Amino acid sequence: MTRASRPEQSQGPRRTAALPGEGVQRIHWIPGTDRLLAVCFCRTEREFEDPVELWDWLLAHPGTDSDAHDGLVLPYPERDSP
Amino acid sequence: MTSFIRNQWYVAAYGSEVGRRLFSRTVCGEPVLLWRTRSGEVTAMSDRCVHRRFPLSQEPSHLDGDQVVCGYHGFTYGADGVCVGVPGQRRVPRTARLATYPVVEQDSFVWVWIGERELADEKLIPRAPWLDRPGWTVVKGMEPLNARYGLLVDNLLDLSHETYLHGGHIGTPEVAETPITTEVDESAAVVRVSRHMDDAACPPFYATSTGIEGRITRWQDIEYHAPCLYLLHSRIAPVGTPPPAEEDGSDPDAFHVEVVYAITPETEGTTHDFWAVARDFAPEDEKVTDFLRESNRTVVLQDVVALDVLEQALQAEQEGYQELSINIDTGGLAARRILERLRREGAPAGEPAVAR
Ligand code: FES
Ligand SMILES: [Fe+2]
Ligand SMILES: [Zn+2]
């Protein structure tokens, strides 16, 4: 099991959306449109029309030839490492 | 090979269900016997006698002090699961013991760990403190669901279905119309979905319980701790009510309802659907309590009926059937991905986890 510990949980009703923290990925449904804005925890953003494509992109980010995640703490272990 | 995510805490029961009577509930395919010792501690052990597999929860099996006596041939077990007596002979076979499970009573729930014992860390249990906190009044229940637990996860993460499946109870048009924000914390296996309606009709569920007559600000903040606990922080206030204070979050003019679901797989195709509703207003008002209990149960049963039918329909489908996802499914898709990852991580090395 790689899950380390539960995060701090709110002890009362949640007031506002939290800021994107380390390892948190966010998806905004852009008001007034049918589009979704995906924001990786590295802050790279991209718009989508299909949530399945969105997740494929977000979970694969940064892909093979980008250094967007260099130096960041990954929210989960690299999938392909043993 | 199963699809259960075993190395997790699951709710097996409400604490109020477990006493000095042998009680059984199946969790991830394991029949678990629950009872309290004379000192009040909850114990959890296998509900199958090691002799001929008779269920120990079945009469005439019974408790004798802090020992369980099998009702078939009398094998007798201590609270640690060890067999202390067998009929007709003095020697008790050394291997005669019941598997026991780590168990924790917290926030009115009895949590059990079915997986590898060394990994059972109490700190991993997600909290639902409102269920056992002064100033909050709680109604609760549990409905058996004849559907795989993933269907309940899908259902709860997309509340736009309230508008259609629960119209006239908790649904109003604004729920399906209002955009959501989704957040995923992969490492903690938490999905958050927020829907803040600034100016919405007040559904009967809240109009009757709060007494609000006009339109409302309605916030739905979901926090799903995969796989086992779902929290819906619901804030209801007349339009124009000031938002919660920045400094300390105090919010005296709004009504707060904490809706909690514990989602416990029973078998591959059935689920224990624990539900609870806690409120911070009209704490002593029995009418409000009765109304919320009845209404919420009605709503839960609407989901149960729908999901039972859906499970049947899915079972009749060919392998590899197609679904189509749209914006409202963003949170549900996130939850599915996390569940799939937990399943993969929990699968014995070299054996691929079975997706379902
Ligand atoms: S089955 Fe329990 S004593 Fe025989
Ligand atoms: Fe529902
Ligand atoms: Zn990224």
Side-chain angles (χ1 to χ4, degrees):
Chain A
M1 291 275 90
T2 49
R3 184 175 345 176
S5 64
R6 293 279 175 184
E8 273 298 293
Q9 252 182 279
S10 44
Q11 296 294 295
R14 210 152 142 269
R15 311 299 168 180
T16 49
L19 293 169
E22 198 132 278
V24 175
Q25 296 169 313
R26 294 183 85 188
I27 300 96
H28 303 270
W29 180 336
I30 305 168
T33 76
D34 288 344
R35 299 179 69 77
L36 298 167
L37 177 69
V39 186
C40 183
F41 55 86
C42 71
R43 295 179 189 262
T44 306
E45 301 183 355
R46 188 159 150 190
E47 280 187 34
F48 288 88
E49 232 150 41
D50 177 346
V52 175
E53 282 172 26
L54 178 152
W55 280 115
D56 287 342
W57 175 81
L58 200 50
L59 291 176
H61 199 255
T64 44
D65 51 15
S66 157
D67 54 5
H69 288 190
D70 288 0
L72 292 177
V73 180
L74 292 182
Y76 42 80
E78 293 275 23
R79 301 196 183 219
D80 297 325
S81 56
Chain B
M1 192 59 234
T2 73
S3 74
F4 295 131
I5 304 171
R6 290 168 56 91
N7 285 324
Q8 293 286 334
W9 291 98
Y10 290 101
V11 170
Y14 289 109
S16 55
E17 293 181 290
V18 180
R20 294 288 295 158
R21 187 179 57 83
L22 295 168
F23 177 88
S24 178
R25 194 157 273 149
T26 296
V27 177
C28 295
E30 306 280 345
V32 180
L33 183 74
L34 295 160
W35 52 281
R36 276 182 207 274
T37 62
R38 280 173 302 185
S39 62
E41 295 279 305
V42 177
T43 64
M45 53 187 62
S46 168
D47 184 27
R48 293 292 179 269
C49 180
V50 297
H51 178 226
R52 288 293 178 265
R53 311 293 295 164
F54 190 72
L56 296 165
S57 55
Q58 176 64 46
E59 283 184 351
S61 299
H62 60 277
L63 274 180
D64 179 3
D66 281 346
Q67 294 182 337
V68 178
V69 182
C70 179
Y72 195 0
H73 314 93
F75 273 48
T76 301
Y77 305 90
D80 56 1
V82 175
C83 182
V84 294
V86 301
Q89 62 180 60
R90 232 172 283 150
R91 190 184 67 82
V92 176
R94 258 183 307 118
T95 53
R97 63 164 65 217
L98 301 170
T100 59
Y101 303 102
V103 62
V104 173
E105 208 172 353
Q106 182 167 279
D107 300 331
S108 85
F109 289 130
V110 174
W111 294 86
V112 296
W113 180 277
I114 298 297
E116 297 154 72
R117 176 175 284 274
E118 323 77 71
L119 300 175
D121 179 353
E122 287 186 26
K123 290 196 292 297
L124 295 176
I125 302 175
R127 301 298 306 263
W130 314 275
L131 300 189
D132 187 16
R133 174 181 277 183
W136 290 77
T137 305
V138 181
V139 294
K140 61 192 183 197
M142 195 282 276
E143 314 303 330
L145 178 67
N146 287 317
R148 67 197 78 175
Y149 80 99
L151 295 189
L152 184 56
V153 175
D154 283 348
N155 171 280
L156 290 170
L157 279 154
D158 170 22
L159 294 182
S160 72
H161 82 269
E162 289 182 351
T163 303
Y164 300 92
L165 198 52
H166 309 303
H169 295 271
I170 52 175
T172 70
E174 293 87 358
V175 181
E177 283 164 9
T178 306
I180 51 173
T181 299
T182 306
E183 278 181 14
V184 180
D185 186 337
E186 270 268 359
S187 59
V190 173
V191 180
R192 298 193 171 88
V193 181
S194 297
R195 176 181 273 114
H196 288 193
M197 294 160 265
D198 294 334
D199 183 349
C202 191
F205 186 83
Y206 289 122
T208 307
S209 57
T210 64
I212 298 177
E213 277 167 6
R215 294 182 63 85
I216 56 169
T217 301
R218 181 177 183 189
W219 291 359
Q220 296 177 323
D221 289 293
I222 295 170
E223 202 176 315
Y224 172 52
H225 296 257
C228 49
L229 192 74
Y230 170 97
L231 309 173
L232 168 60
H233 310 298
S234 179
R235 175 183 185 272
I236 303 96
V239 169
T241 303
E246 285 284 337
E247 319 78 63
D248 60 353
S250 72
D251 193 16
D253 300 321
F255 298 82
H256 303 99
V257 175
E258 294 289 339
V259 182
V260 178
Y261 283 84
I263 303 166
T264 305
E266 179 186 35
T267 65
E268 294 283 343
T270 61
T271 304
H272 305 298
D273 181 352
F274 292 89
W275 58 268
V277 176
R279 67 177 194 272
D280 70 348
F281 54 90
E284 312 286 341
D285 193 327
E286 294 283 335
K287 275 218 229 56
V288 172
T289 299
D290 291 343
F291 172 78
L292 285 178
R293 185 188 298 109
E294 275 319 297
S295 307
N296 204 68
R297 181 150 191 275
T298 301
V299 165
V300 170
L301 288 175
Q302 286 173 331
D303 284 323
V304 166
V305 167
L307 296 181
D308 287 358
V309 169
L310 179 56
E311 176 66 42
Q312 291 305 311
L314 292 179
Q315 279 182 23
E317 291 271 7
Q318 306 287 333
E319 280 290 307
Y321 58 84
Q322 293 282 317
E323 294 176 312
L324 185 114
S325 297
I326 60 169
N327 290 4
I328 55 173
D329 301 306
T330 308
L333 291 174
R336 287 186 184 184
R337 304 256 182 176
I338 287 181
L339 292 172
E340 187 46 43
R341 175 173 63 80
L342 294 175
R343 205 173 283 135
R344 220 169 30 229
E345 289 172 355
E351 246 183 286
V354 174
R356 49 176 308 167

